[in-house]
Amino acid sequence: MKKNEIKKYKSKVGIVIPILYLLVAAAMLIVWLVPSSGALTLQIIATCILAIVFFGVTWIAFSTYYILADRCLICICGPFKTRALYQDITDITEGFSLLFSYALTGRRIFINRGRNILRRIDVSPSEKEEFLNELSTKIKHYREIVQK
């Protein structure tokens, strides 16, 4: 990769996204197939809400990626965006979590920027080894934080 070329690492998509699609589809079927007492307005409102959820999940699923810039890691997940300066990273570990984050799968990399839990960024790049190799070249103290 050339020096000024920036690579986007797409997030690996786990089972959570297809499950959300199935839940939205099931809810849509329930809204329209379960007999109701003439509440067409409620059915239309519920359909609009479910459509917004569907498009939100799609937006997140297709636009979650990570950029290793010169001085920071940039994580983008749909409308959400965060940056982590390399000098602030204190710990990098791998693990499992289903909490909402910048990772779209349960198996993820935890990047801590301090002791506070809100300072943790979870990522799940589809090219994990390449991502970690490039990250190791960007962080000067990489060897110390990985060996903790």
Side-chain angles (χ1 to χ4, degrees):
M1 186 164 48
K2 296 176 185 166
K3 183 159 176 105
N4 292 333
E5 187 178 326
I6 294 178
K7 180 168 184 201
K8 289 182 180 180
Y9 291 91
K10 293 283 295 170
S11 178
K12 184 177 182 180
V13 178
I15 193 74
V16 174
I17 299 297
I19 288 174
L20 286 173
Y21 281 137
L22 287 174
L23 289 174
V24 169
M28 191 76 75
L29 287 173
I30 290 170
V31 164
W32 287 100
L33 296 180
V34 172
S36 61
S37 58
L40 182 63
T41 304
L42 290 176
Q43 287 177 313
I44 292 171
I45 291 171
T47 301
C48 290
I49 291 170
L50 290 169
I52 290 169
V53 169
F54 176 81
F55 287 117
V57 169
T58 302
W59 183 13
I60 287 171
F62 289 104
S63 68
T64 298
Y65 57 92
Y66 320 106
I67 299 172
L68 295 170
D70 290 335
R71 295 183 305 145
C72 64
L73 165 66
I74 303 168
C75 301
I76 298 172
C77 180
F80 308 104
K81 181 178 181 180
T82 192
R83 288 185 163 99
L85 293 173
Y86 298 132
Q87 65 194 23
D88 294 341
I89 295 175
T90 58
D91 189 28
I92 298 174
T93 56
E94 293 184 44
F96 185 85
S97 176
L98 291 177
L99 295 176
F100 177 77
S101 67
Y102 293 93
L104 300 180
T105 184
R107 298 236 72 2
R108 47 186 71 181
I109 300 168
F110 304 125
I111 299 174
N112 293 305
R113 300 176 289 164
R115 296 181 189 265
N116 186 347
I117 194 164
L118 296 176
R119 303 288 293 171
R120 186 178 91 184
I121 300 173
D122 299 359
V123 297
S124 61
S126 57
E127 300 164 346
K128 183 175 82 170
E129 294 303 320
E130 185 180 337
F131 177 83
L132 288 173
N133 286 338
E134 187 175 348
L135 185 61
S136 70
T137 64
K138 302 279 186 178
I139 300 176
K140 293 176 184 170
H141 58 287
Y142 183 80
R143 194 163 269 178
E144 295 103 39
I145 61 177
V146 171
Q147 291 179 350
K148 281 184 179 180

